[in-house]
């Protein structure tokens, strides 16, 4: 690998990020600029930022690695990402979120919920959940990028983590959401270009679409025994209905991530950065194309890496990397593609990681500065030091992410992503939907839904769901068994299928049994809901 060429590529890339970050910093003059970009973000930038935040190294490295082990059935997730993560999110949730958020004067997702229900507790508790849970997601995204640096450039894993953290923290710390979104847009363009080339090159390398897919199908005899034992049927077929593999794929991956995206605070806040519904409508096409290209390519390439590795080394992908699926995509790129593309793909992977982590840091920082500290601070004084405390929260967040990144085991990227998506969905999804569409939901009902969803999800992860309960060992230490419900299918049913219905039931029942919200609270929240063309004044 030519270090001089690599250095030039990186210098140009870092210079571009610094330049964009400086431009964002110059335009950041108020809390509103720092938190939601002044509510006048261009629709293309908003869409690219949304997509780049959504699709991180977790999708490319983590789920691409999962596809290398289990096959193309993961492609159903890409379909859900487009339909639910973009179309439904933008059209049915984004517009109401934007109008209601602007009416309420919200700067963050927890503040949106707190003001919608006129509840200081909801504001504080939601911020606490986000600030405590998101370091796991940030850590696995960091791991995905650092693994590629380790595999392709032979840079020590720990050093890679540190370099990434310093660069990302710099432009988030100074530029706020504008720094995040503008750099996201730049990084999103790099990601799309790299992935389009990657998909075309891989199919060319393997003899064309038909030949490559047929070769993968014919390798069914090499399908991992562990996958077959749990219900897997082949690289290009769906697992057996009701099997442990089926439950894991459908509940954890497809439902957990595919639907859990609707309750992601770092994505929801994007809807409040544009000035009208027209901007959201214009964002759908750009966002949809971005999501269609990115995960689809990662899942196809991950699956087809088995054909390449078997032809060259006589082994399937998971055996080549010693069982750590997080190394499959980096190893395949390094071995199979031209050296110049390794540089480009490295940039795209760094872009994917940096765009997602920057949004995570910004979300955690605002959760700390606005939602936790801001609700405890004297109201007259909290505005004066809001940005300063938010920046302190950003520093704490990156430190927590680094500690976890050094501590987590291998093959954790996809699982860690799923867990965060599901905890957020359990805590917020029913209440968020109710806040947008049901005027009868009460503050006590919302509190019951958020608290029940949070604690049921944590209980299920610690004591029932096999992947996490066995790995953490807390259930074994307390009760002497790996999981409290060992009979099929309970250890394989994802937390979202349990906690989200519980949260919804608590929200509904408590709302019906408690005093309806004050009319002025309803009027304030729904002030602009009927005004479809409303813009920021």
């Amino acid at each position: 690998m030519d270090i001089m060429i690599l250095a030039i590529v990186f210098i140009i890339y870092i210079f571009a990020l610094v330049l964009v970050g400086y431009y964002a910093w110059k335009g950041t003059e108020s809390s509103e600029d720092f938190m939601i970009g002044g509510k006048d973000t261009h629709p293309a930038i908003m869409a690219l930022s949304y997509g780049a935040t959504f699709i991180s190294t977790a999708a490319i490295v983590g789920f691409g690695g999962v596809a290398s082990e289990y096959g193309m059935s993961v492609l159903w997730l890409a379909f859900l990402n487009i339909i639910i993560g973009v179309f439904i999110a933008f059209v049915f949730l984004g517009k109401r979120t934007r109008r209601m958020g602007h009416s309420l004067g919200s700067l963050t997702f927890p503040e949106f919920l707190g003001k919608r229900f006129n509840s200081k507790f909801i504001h504080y508790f939601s911020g606490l959940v986000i600030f405590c849970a998101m370091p796991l997601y940030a850590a696995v995204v960091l791991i995905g990028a650092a693994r590629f640096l380790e595999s392709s450039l032979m840079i020590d894993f720990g050093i890679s983590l540190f370099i990434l953290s310093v660069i990302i923290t710099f432009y988030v710390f100074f530029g706020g959401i504008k720094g995040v979104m503008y750099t996201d847009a730049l990084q999103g363009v790099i990601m799309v270009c790299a992935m389009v080339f990657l998909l075309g090159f891989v199919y060319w390398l393997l003899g064309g679409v038909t030949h490559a897919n047929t070769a993968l199908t014919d390798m069914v005899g090499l399908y991992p025994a562990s996958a077959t034992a749990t219900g897997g049927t082949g690289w290009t077929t769906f697992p057996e209905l009701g099997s442990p593999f089926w439950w894991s794929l459908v509940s954890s991956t497809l439902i957990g991530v595919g639907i859990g995206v609707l309750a992601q605070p770092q994505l929801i806040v994007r809807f409040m950065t544009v000035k009208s519904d027209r901007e959201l409508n214009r964002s759908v096409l750009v966002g949809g194309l971005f999501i269609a290209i990115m995960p689809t390519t990662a899942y196809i390439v991950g699956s087809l890496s088995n054909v390449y590795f078997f032809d060259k080394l006589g082994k399937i992908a998971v055996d080549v990397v010693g069982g750590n699926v997080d190394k499959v995509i980096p190893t395949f790129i390094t071995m199979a593609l031209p050296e110049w593309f390794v540089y480009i793909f490295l940039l795209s992977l760094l872009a994917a990681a940096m765009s997602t982590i920057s949004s995570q840091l910004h979300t955690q920082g605002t959760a700390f500065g606005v939602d936790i500290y801001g609700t405890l601070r004297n109201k007259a004084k909290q505005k004066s030091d809001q940005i300063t405390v938010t920046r302190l929260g950003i520093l704490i967040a990156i430190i927590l992410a680094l500690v976890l990144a050094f501590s987590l085991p291998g093959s954790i990227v996809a699982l860690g992503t799923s867990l965060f998506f599901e905890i957020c969905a359990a805590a917020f999804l029913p209440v968020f939907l109710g806040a947008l569409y049901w005027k009868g939901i009460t503050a006590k009902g919302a509190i019951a839904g958020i608290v029940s969803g949070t604690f049921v999800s944590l209980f299920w992860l610690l004591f029932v769901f096999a992947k996490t309960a066995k790995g953490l060992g807390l259930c074994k230490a307390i009760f002497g068994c790996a999981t409290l419900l060992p009979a099929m299918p309970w250890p394989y049913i994802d937390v979202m299928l349990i906690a989200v219905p519980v949260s919804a039931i608590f929200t509904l029942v408590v709302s019906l049994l408690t005093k309806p919200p004050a009319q002025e609270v309803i009027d304030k929240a729904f002030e602009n809901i009927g005004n479809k063309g409303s813009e920021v004044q």
Side-chain angles (χ1 to χ4, degrees), residues 313-513:
L313 304 175
K315 298 179 181 180
I316 60 174
V318 69
D319 292 333
V320 171
V321 298
N324 187 351
V325 297
D326 293 342
K327 293 185 176 182
V328 170
I329 296 295
T331 302
F332 173 74
I333 296 298
T334 303
M335 287 183 58
L337 275 83
E339 184 176 304
W340 65 266
F341 182 75
V342 176
Y343 304 141
I344 303 300
F345 190 79
L346 176 59
L347 284 187
S348 71
L349 203 62
L350 289 178
M354 293 169 75
S355 59
T356 299
I357 297 170
S358 62
S359 297
Q360 293 165 339
L361 293 182
H362 182 266
T363 301
Q364 289 177 89
T366 57
F368 185 82
V370 177
D371 307 318
I372 299 174
Y373 172 82
T375 55
L376 300 176
R377 178 73 161 155
N378 182 288
K379 190 172 183 179
K381 298 179 179 180
Q382 61 178 267
K383 290 289 183 181
S384 62
D385 51 10
Q386 197 170 60
I387 293 180
T388 301
V389 179
T390 295
R391 285 172 170 161
L392 175 62
I394 290 170
L395 295 178
I396 295 173
I398 193 62
I399 292 171
L400 292 174
L402 277 171
V403 170
L404 283 174
F406 280 111
S407 307
L408 292 171
S411 300
I412 191 63
V413 175
L415 178 60
T417 302
S418 298
L419 292 180
F420 178 74
F421 273 52
E422 292 150 11
I423 290 172
C424 283
F428 303 126
L429 186 55
V431 173
F432 178 47
L433 295 178
L436 295 179
Y437 282 97
W438 184 27
K439 293 183 179 181
I441 186 173
T442 67
K444 290 182 179 178
I447 291 171
I450 293 172
V451 173
S452 64
T454 300
F455 285 100
V456 169
S457 64
L458 292 175
F459 174 82
W460 199 262
L461 290 171
L462 293 173
F463 299 107
V464 179
F465 189 54
K467 283 186 178 180
T468 50
K470 290 180 180 179
L472 295 172
L474 186 62
C475 185
K476 182 73 172 178
I478 296 176
F479 299 105
C481 55
T483 174
L484 292 181
L485 297 174
M488 273 291 296
W490 298 111
Y492 302 96
I493 295 179
D494 195 75
V495 61
M496 189 171 166
L497 294 182
I498 302 297
V500 169
V502 169
S503 174
I505 291 170
F506 269 85
T507 301
L508 176 63
V509 172
V510 175
S511 291
L512 292 175
L513 295 177

Side-chain angles (χ1 to χ4, degrees), residues 67-72 206 211-225 227-228 232-237 302-320:
S68 74
E69 185 173 14
Y70 295 125
M72 290 194 178
L206 299 179
H211 184 272
N213 290 346
T214 300
L216 184 64
T217 301
D218 293 342
M219 288 174 59
V220 64
L222 298 171
Y223 198 61
T228 303
T233 58
W235 302 103
T236 55
T237 55
S303 300
L304 292 177
S305 67
N306 289 285
V307 178
Y308 174 83
F309 284 129
F310 187 73
D311 286 346
K312 298 297 182 181
L313 304 175
K315 298 179 181 180
I316 60 174
V318 69
D319 292 333
V320 171

